[in-house]
Amino acid sequence: MKPLYFDHNATTPILPEVFEAMEPFLRGSFGNPSSPHPWGLEAKEALERARRQVAACINAQPEEIVFTSCATESNHMVFSGLFGHSTRGRIVTSTVEHPSVLAPIERLEKRGVRVVRLPVDENGRVSVQDAKDACTPDTELVSVMLANNEVGTIQPVAQFAPHAESLGALVHTDASQAVGKIRVDVRQLDVDFLTIAGHKLYAPKGIGALYIRSVRTLPPLLLGGGQERGMRSGTENVAFAVALGKACEIAGRTVEDEGARQRALGDVLVSGLRELGHKHLPFATGADRLPNTLAVGFRGVDAGRIVEGLALADVGVSAGAACHGDSTEISPVLRAMGVDPEYARGAIRFSWGRSTTEEDVRDLLGRLKGVLDAL
Ligand code: PLP
């Protein structure tokens, strides 16, 4: 039985071209990019090429890209950099952010920073008007994700960012799930900071980036040798940066075509689900959504049992609800969307990718039917 991986929002495999690009830097090309000899210069050149590739993918300038170890670090750079140990200030965010945004903001809130969390509608979408209204002249930062990891909803960041900026606020967006799946353009979004996660776009785990608008700087999280223009000390992970550069180059070239192909697979999945004969509810179908993501609630079934059943059938998906003993905890995102608990308890996220075919989707539907019938 062919294994069917439908969990690309958790992580993606490394593309062969990406692996090929980084491999020399795990073998003979081992120089430190700060060294002024041929070994160092070779590494430096590769690192700067990667920076240009990442920048081009999001329409930024190379000097606006800082390499980090992951999206979590990129997010922390923004919050810790701007607020440090401050006990004052005001942040506007949303109720559906990833924990790597929610948790550092909650810590700042405990210290005294005021936090406004924008609600979302039944499609998981923040209202542009709510976002504009929440921005007051004393708001330092607005941080709203570009695309949601659980339901795929794309947030209207470009529609409220200029208003926030006009009031003097800085704007950050966690684009970990968006880059590589939809066209992302920092100028069009009008943001100051944007988070990228390598392993969500076919580069390895352990590499990320932060876009920092050229007129902005951030006090560093890590102090030391002054790498990355002083904003992120620590000898650069050249091989993985090269991988991220290559992944961004591929994404930049193919995102529209691949997005259209993946969106069509989503249509096959949605119509196939209707024929399974099990009560279900696809989430966020009224919103602009990532082309590779569909979260679905199966009525009256525990998500954990579906995940387990599918895993036994060699299918990888993730649950939108976690089972703790006798009770099932609904994900905060689905709660914020006001999803009926009968469906939310059985929430499964399907996320496909570049290697997924229509045959895989049909095969998935067959195996899913087997699991649901048995439950
Ligand atoms: N932000 C979003 C929206 C994510 O989906 C994830 C990972 O799932 C992260 C941030 C964190 O990524 P990492 O664990 O690579 O730091």
Side-chain angles (χ1 to χ4, degrees):
M1 205 162 36
K2 180 185 175 187
L4 298 175
Y5 184 70
F6 275 79
D7 204 11
H8 286 75
N9 286 9
T11 197
T12 57
I14 301 173
L15 280 181
E17 303 94 299
V18 169
F19 188 79
E20 260 172 46
M22 80 169 179
E23 199 182 4
F25 299 91
L26 295 168
R27 292 183 187 273
S29 304
F30 63 89
N32 183 327
S34 298
S35 303
H37 46 59
W39 292 265
L41 294 178
E42 183 189 32
K44 175 92 181 154
E45 208 172 282
L47 185 68
E48 294 315 315
R49 188 183 325 116
R51 201 184 306 282
R52 288 194 295 278
Q53 289 169 317
V54 175
C57 176
I58 58 168
N59 194 25
Q61 294 301 315
E63 60 277 12
E64 296 176 313
I65 302 298
V66 170
F67 286 112
T68 64
S69 65
C70 59
T72 300
E73 182 189 337
S74 300
N75 288 339
H76 276 252
M77 269 183 77
V78 175
F79 303 120
S80 298
L82 292 178
F83 291 90
H85 289 273
S86 175
T87 54
R88 292 199 255 178
R90 189 169 184 278
I91 300 177
V92 174
T93 185
S94 85
T95 45
V96 293
E97 299 297 313
H98 186 267
S100 60
V101 167
L102 289 175
I105 288 184
E106 205 175 304
R107 182 167 68 180
L108 291 171
E109 189 175 32
K110 283 188 185 138
R111 290 192 192 133
V113 173
R114 279 173 302 144
V115 178
V116 177
R117 292 179 182 81
L118 301 169
V120 293
D121 64 13
E122 70 278 13
N123 287 304
R125 197 169 187 266
V126 159
S127 128
V128 174
Q129 197 54 51
D130 282 357
K132 286 184 175 175
D133 291 347
C135 292
T136 50
D138 62 343
T139 301
E140 267 107 356
L141 177 70
V142 179
S143 179
V144 174
M145 70 197 328
L146 194 50
N148 184 265
N149 42 306
E150 289 186 38
V151 293
T153 301
I154 298 168
Q155 300 295 355
V157 174
Q159 292 178 51
F160 58 74
H163 177 77
E165 301 267 353
S166 74
L167 292 174
L170 297 170
V171 180
H172 166 244
T173 189
D174 176 353
S176 300
Q177 293 289 351
V179 176
K181 295 180 186 139
I182 55 171
R183 178 68 60 191
V184 173
D185 180 326
V186 289
R187 306 279 170 236
Q188 188 249 333
L189 287 170
D190 201 10
V191 292
D192 298 288
F193 310 106
L194 180 140
T195 293
I196 298 175
H199 70 106
K200 310 285 187 191
L201 75 146
Y202 306 89
K205 295 148 200 64
I207 185 79
L210 181 66
Y211 156 80
I212 303 176
R213 200 201 288 260
S214 59
V215 291
R216 314 282 180 214
T217 55
L218 280 179
L221 266 186
L222 303 179
L223 292 167
Q227 288 90 347
E228 299 292 294
R229 292 184 296 126
M231 280 191 268
R232 205 275 186 181
S233 283
T235 302
E236 296 91 340
N237 187 343
V238 179
F240 283 23
V242 166
L244 177 57
K246 186 68 185 174
C248 283
E249 189 250 303
I250 294 169
R253 258 193 293 120
T254 59
V255 72
E256 278 85 12
D257 287 352
E258 189 51 30
R261 194 191 72 83
Q262 293 190 20
R263 197 171 293 287
L265 295 182
D267 296 340
V268 174
L269 181 56
V270 170
S271 57
L273 285 168
R274 281 195 216 109
E275 285 155 27
L276 293 188
H278 286 273
K279 272 211 154 166
H280 68 281
L281 186 64
F283 302 134
T285 48
D288 213 6
R289 240 175 342 109
L290 291 175
N292 80 319
T293 308
L294 183 73
V296 184
F298 293 94
R299 194 188 151 95
V301 201
D302 250 357
R305 299 190 64 194
I306 303 175
V307 173
E308 276 168 28
L310 284 174
L312 289 174
D314 243 349
V315 180
V317 296
S318 81
C323 194
H324 301 287
D326 288 343
S327 67
T328 303
E329 202 177 302
I330 294 164
S331 99
V333 172
L334 298 180
R335 248 189 290 124
M337 288 165 60
V339 172
D340 176 349
E342 276 293 304
Y343 287 96
R345 279 191 211 104
I348 298 294
R349 176 186 69 187
F350 301 97
S351 52
W352 49 100
R354 284 179 177 260
S355 64
T356 313
T357 64
E358 185 173 331
E359 201 185 338
D360 293 338
V361 177
R362 298 201 185 281
D363 201 354
L364 162 75
L365 286 160
R367 295 188 211 178
L368 178 63
K369 181 167 170 47
V371 170
L372 292 171
D373 288 352
L375 288 174

